[in-house]
Amino acid sequence: MTVDKKIPVGILGATGSVGQKFVELLTDHPWFEITELAASEKSAGRKYDDVVNWFLPSRIPASIGALSVKECRPGLNCKIVFSALDANAAGEIETEFANAGYVVVSNAKNHRYDKDVPLLIPDVNPDHLDIIKQQKFSGGMIITNPNCSTTGLAVALKPLHDAFGIEALNVVTMQALSGAGYPGVSSLDAMDNVIPFIKGEEEKMELEPLKILGAFNGTEIINADFKISASCNRVSVIDGHLESVSIKLKNPATESEIIDVLINYKSEPQRLKLPSAPLQPVHYFYEDDMPQPRLLRNLESGMAVSVGRLRKCNLFDYKFSVLSHNTIRGAAGGAILNAELLAAKGYLD
Ligand code: NAP
């Protein structure tokens, strides 16, 4: 697909951890152009440069830094709003924008479980997108992406779910600090430490994959029917969530069959050649000590998921490790891929 005129987009929550990643990834995007930045009342009315505590290694593009930050209210000059809002504010603001005719592409949890809102990963459940036809907002729509730790897991599970079926799953996460937003966890809590609790995270991980891997029958999404047990930990890594997974499959599979379906998996974003799509959603690493966050989180610009350490499990069938970039694949990059799918499917015409 080629775009004659770039689609104007706004970022709600542009000053936060995910908001900054949106700015970075949308600068020079072939289809989208940032025209509006918005955040809380305390940031509104000031230049982005002056108000953002930019902590990414790239520079703020000059044209973006000069933009005046607005309040998160309809009236913004754009068609799509990417929401990187704190969950305390996101629910109502996103509904208000959808009712004002905007396409809301959200990272926040508030609308993820609404029956007519897709919880979308274009490489996993692109068919779920069509449920937006049932939404009743006046003119606009809301689509969401999953929690950052769910995204990498769901991408790795999809090929296995399709090929062998999943009976049960146990997952233990080691989640990066940037997942807690900015400024996030204080240095005295984070350094030399692991925090074995992330509020609400285990509940999300035990529920979201079931909607994502569920079947859309044209009317509703029927959740997948396996059980998940999740234990979530915050570790002292800047970006990249690592997860240890134990899985019981419905049908027998050998190690080489599992690796085969993982590395050969392709989906709609690859067929449509969406600009942010990884060429290969899942990469498998045979080294004993892979995947590691520092070495592999930026694979395929942070959009590919790395899997390794596949081996027999004494309790379930197999165990393996999954790694994905939490603010790219698990947040801003995933949301941008969602918007690209919307565009490619004609939902933005
Ligand atoms: P964050 O760093 O705390 O940023 C929150 C943003 O929301 C800031 O721009 C803030 O603006 C704005 N905001 C807060 N209260 C507001 C209000 N009442 N009205 C308008 N704007 C308000 O959080 P984050 O980590 O970027 O996360 C953003 C969202 O994405 C959250 O819902 C989070 O759960 C989700 N998410 C995060 C990740 C991740 O890896 N970090 C991954 C997936 C999903 P000010 O600067 O002006 O206060």
Side-chain angles (χ1 to χ4, degrees), residues 37 41-52 65-70:
L37 300 174
E41 276 175 20
K42 80 172 162 60
S43 309
R46 298 162 65 194
K47 260 176 52 183
Y48 188 63
D49 255 344
D50 295 338
V51 81
V52 67
L67 287 177
S68 176
V69 176
K70 307 248 176 92

Side-chain angles (χ1 to χ4, degrees), residues 10 24 101 114 132 164 210 222 225-226 251 260 273 307 312:
E24 189 179 64
D114 295 359
I132 53 182
F164 314 113
L210 302 180
I222 314 289
D225 66 351
F226 57 90
N251 297 302
D260 229 44
K273 297 190 171 33
V307 176
K312 290 269 185 211

Side-chain angles (χ1 to χ4, degrees), residues 130-143:
D130 287 342
I131 206 163
I132 53 182
K133 290 177 187 155
Q134 297 175 24
Q135 294 186 358
K136 300 281 187 294
F137 301 110
S138 7
M141 62 179 83
I142 298 179
I143 62 170

